[in-house]
Amino acid sequence: MVTPMVSWQGGPPSGELERDPWVRAVRAGELAFAAASNAANFTDEALAQTWSNSAVLWMADLARTDLDHGSPYVALGPRPLTPLAVELDEEGRSALVAVCADDLAVAGEQPSGDRQGRHAQVYRLELGDDGERRIVGSNAPDGDFRLPDGGLLTDEYCSSVAIARGLFDPAPDLEPLLELDGDDVLAPPSPSPSFAVEVPDG
């Protein structure tokens, strides 16, 4: 699957945190997610290298629901966000990446469950045995998440943070998705339940 180029309005994101490997993993993950959503194909290697398997299966399920309900969309670019802090665990194998994020620009219907407006977001990532940093989840900050400047990470805080926005070039086409339904979504196989036990006959 070919990921389109991103044209950044006013220039690409810059700053010291943009060089952090955990932030780069978030950027790569959001880019891979947008490209996968636009193609209804969640089997691409770029997605598997940046998101946990359970997260990818969840994305595919949402895509199936949107298509079955006749509400497809294409992302016009990756989710706009500005990283504010990276908190590593003691062993350096997991991290929280705090960001201010904005609406995902889309053509078509709004994605199921997508938060609207500028908002505070925290990505949870883990370092795999293969050396890849993967997003295992993202949500609104729990409790009092303090930033390096002492500020509290809230939606209100994010209202004054500049957020770079990039758009795909060329722009994706919604028309092919209008011809699909949920059965057309490509997804990695679901893992077998760990509790499943094969009972021999007789």
Side-chain angles (χ1 to χ4, degrees):
M1 192 169 67
V2 177
T3 301
M5 297 291 294
V6 178
S7 177
W8 293 96
Q9 301 173 351
S14 60
E16 183 178 347
L17 276 179
E18 294 293 342
R19 296 189 293 272
D20 187 282
W22 297 96
V23 170
R24 292 170 63 183
V26 170
R27 291 266 187 216
E30 287 292 358
L31 179 62
F33 165 68
S37 297
N38 291 350
N41 182 352
F42 296 86
T43 64
D44 193 68
E45 184 178 354
L47 201 64
Q49 289 177 341
T50 53
W51 291 85
S52 68
N53 188 63
S54 59
V56 174
L57 293 174
W58 176 75
M59 295 172 190
D61 282 343
L62 286 182
R64 291 189 186 99
T65 299
D66 287 340
L67 289 173
D68 283 339
H69 286 82
S71 54
Y73 73 91
V74 290
L76 300 179
R79 179 172 301 282
L81 57 88
T82 296
L84 302 176
V86 177
E87 289 190 359
L88 273 172
D89 74 336
E90 292 182 359
E91 297 180 354
R93 297 198 61 84
S94 65
L96 300 177
V97 177
V99 309
C100 289
D102 207 345
D103 292 346
L104 185 67
V106 302
E109 302 291 331
Q110 283 294 321
S112 300
D114 198 43
R115 294 181 66 188
Q116 299 297 300
R118 291 194 175 207
H119 56 274
Q121 193 84 357
V122 177
Y123 290 84
R124 303 186 313 279
L125 297 94
E126 294 179 355
L127 180 63
D129 293 337
D130 59 358
E132 299 289 351
R133 294 171 173 83
R134 291 180 174 84
I135 303 167
V136 297
S138 66
N139 50 263
D142 294 330
D144 296 341
F145 193 107
R146 290 287 172 182
L147 299 168
D149 65 2
L152 190 63
L153 180 61
T154 63
D155 293 351
E156 183 179 3
Y157 181 96
C158 288
S159 65
S160 60
V161 173
I163 301 178
R165 183 177 289 274
L167 298 176
F168 289 135
D169 184 16
D173 185 4
L174 178 62
E175 290 300 319
L177 288 183
L178 297 177
E179 302 176 2
L180 305 181
D181 59 30
D183 291 337
D184 297 312
V185 173
L186 298 178
S190 299
S192 300
S194 58
F195 52 83
V197 178
E198 184 177 352
V199 179
D201 294 334

